[in-house]
Amino acid sequence: MNILNLGGLGGEEFPRASAPEQCSRKGCRAAAGWQLLWNNPRIHTPERRKVWLACNEHRAWLEDYLQTRGLWKETVPFGSAEASVGGTD
């Protein structure tokens, strides 16, 4: 039994949202312009990079949040190939 068949999807892929990727700041619906790359050294390997998206308004706030906790690694423009390492969350 295929678990995807339980919802009547027949194993097809879920449709992608047509909306642009949004900022990761809670409650913000602005389009993302930046990728904040981070990892938690207690649970991730050193080369692993998690990604939060940020709009121009919340970029500094999110960077500060990650830097305060020792998690921030770098910030790159949204869509940059550099952020494809590791995975996203």
Side-chain angles (χ1 to χ4, degrees):
M1 176 182 218
N2 185 342
I3 194 165
L4 295 176
N5 290 336
L6 295 176
L9 295 175
E12 66 214 35
E13 289 187 33
F14 291 99
R16 291 195 58 124
S18 59
E21 297 292 335
Q22 294 180 348
C23 178
S24 297
R25 176 77 162 105
K26 185 176 180 178
C28 183
R29 303 224 186 280
W34 300 96
Q35 298 175 95
L36 285 70
L37 308 182
W38 64 278
N39 84 352
N40 184 337
R42 290 187 287 171
I43 60 174
H44 301 130
T45 59
E47 65 278 353
R48 173 88 187 260
R49 292 295 181 265
K50 306 288 276 180
V51 179
W52 279 358
L53 299 177
C55 64
N56 288 333
E57 181 181 350
H58 294 117
R59 175 186 170 182
W61 189 94
L62 290 166
E63 281 179 351
D64 181 62
Y65 181 91
L66 292 169
Q67 288 172 350
T68 300
R69 289 153 182 80
L71 306 176
W72 180 84
K73 298 301 178 191
E74 68 177 315
T75 299
V76 296
F78 181 61
S80 172
E82 293 178 40
S84 63
V85 178
T88 63
D89 272 359

